[in-house]
Amino acid sequence: YDTYNNHIRTGITKITIGSGVETIEENAFKEFTGLKTLEIHNGVKEIKEDAFRSCRGLTSIVIPNSVTYLSGFSYCTRLDTISIGNSVSEIGDSAFASCVKLTKIPIPNSVTSIGKAAFSRCKNLTSIEIPNSVISVGLDAFKGCASLTSIEIPNSVASLGDNAFVGCLSLENVTIGNGVTNIPNGIFSNCTSLTSIEIPNTIISIGESAFEGCISLTSITIPNSVTTIGNKAFLGCTGLNSIELSDSVTNIGSSAF
């Protein structure tokens, strides 16, 4: 049985999903390493987690306009071109995690949610534009995107997950929109190239280890809205030589600076 299954996974080079299919379920074509051509016709509404995980022969995919929920392409290590239809509202957990060949990802204006680890470890991703439609960015969403140089979080985003940009080693500039009220735990930790960060005056708290290890950060202004700075928030920021704190800060955590 295992030998037969392995033969299928390595022998099939093309898959066509017809318009009669609405959902491609979890693990449906997981580890079909011989797959090189994937055609998904209009009519498919959901592509679930790990549906095409580790399909290492895929180099490009086109997601039709009928799809509203998109996940399923983690560890597609040769994937370098994506076209996403304009009806996708949710990019699910680990959707494109460890797709190491991707350099850019066009996120359509229909997307409202980016899931947990959706683009984590896409180490060659150089830029990403988060559209104004996005409300939430999940835990570890862009973790380890080592080539990402700048990020602008639009005003529409109200929720940012912990560690969303941890280990983005090339990240230099960050703009946070005024829809965010809390800077989450570890969100920019070990972003060793970060030199500039704009903290809006909507921020109430800065989480634990939020900027830990940001050795290139030289100055920081904490707006009047902030009341809490978490443990280790700026620990190891060895280049930091200027800090402005207001009277509104009532709690500074252990090893914050």
Side-chain angles (χ1 to χ4, degrees):
Y1 178 78
D2 287 343
T3 302
Y4 176 70
N5 262 359
N6 186 59
H7 174 72
I8 291 175
R9 287 194 293 265
T10 58
I12 291 178
T13 61
K14 180 179 179 179
I15 292 174
T16 300
I17 309 293
S19 57
V21 176
E22 291 191 352
T23 301
I24 303 174
E25 293 287 358
E26 296 176 9
N27 303 313
F29 301 100
K30 180 180 177 181
E31 296 178 357
F32 274 53
T33 56
L35 182 62
K36 294 181 179 180
T37 304
L38 174 63
E39 294 180 1
I40 303 173
H41 288 189
N42 258 314
V44 175
K45 296 179 180 178
E46 297 180 304
I47 302 174
K48 296 290 190 67
E49 282 75 12
D50 294 334
F52 297 96
R53 178 188 171 107
S54 298
C55 289
R56 294 188 290 271
L58 280 178
T59 59
S60 66
I61 54 169
V62 176
I63 305 300
N65 291 333
S66 58
V67 173
T68 59
Y69 181 86
L70 174 60
S71 189
F73 292 93
S74 60
Y75 294 93
C76 291
T77 53
R78 294 182 184 174
L79 188 64
D80 61 14
T81 306
I82 302 172
S83 174
I84 300 176
N86 56 20
S87 294
V88 172
S89 61
E90 185 175 356
I91 296 177
D93 294 351
S94 301
F96 297 98
S98 295
C99 290
V100 295
K101 283 288 186 73
L102 287 176
T103 59
K104 61 181 180 179
I105 299 166
I107 300 177
N109 289 326
S110 56
V111 173
T112 60
S113 174
I114 296 174
K116 174 183 176 182
F119 301 102
S120 64
R121 300 180 302 279
C122 290
K123 64 180 183 179
N124 285 310
L125 186 66
T126 56
S127 64
I128 189 78
E129 184 175 341
I130 300 175
N132 289 322
S133 56
V134 173
I135 298 170
S136 65
V137 176
L139 173 76
D140 294 341
F142 296 93
K143 177 181 180 179
C145 291
S147 298
L148 196 63
T149 57
S150 66
I151 191 73
E152 182 174 346
I153 299 165
N155 294 334
S156 60
V157 174
S159 174
L160 283 171
D162 291 352
N163 303 315
F165 298 95
V166 64
C168 291
L169 303 179
S170 300
L171 192 62
E172 297 178 1
N173 304 300
V174 174
T175 302
I176 300 175
N178 57 26
V180 177
T181 57
N182 299 290
I183 295 180
N185 299 333
I187 186 169
F188 298 111
S189 62
N190 293 317
C191 291
T192 53
S193 298
L194 185 64
T195 58
S196 174
I197 177 81
E198 294 182 28
I199 300 177
N201 58 15
T202 56
I203 298 296
I204 297 170
S205 66
I206 297 174
E208 294 186 9
S209 300
F211 298 94
E212 182 176 350
C214 292
I215 58 175
S216 297
L217 197 62
T218 57
S219 66
I220 192 78
T221 299
I222 310 296
N224 293 334
S225 55
V226 172
T227 61
T228 302
I229 298 174
N231 299 337
K232 302 180 182 179
F234 296 92
L235 178 68
C237 293
T238 53
L240 197 61
N241 57 43
S242 175
I243 303 167
E244 279 190 39
L245 293 175
S246 73
D247 292 341
S248 64
V249 176
T250 58
N251 184 18
I252 298 177
S254 172
S255 302
F257 297 97

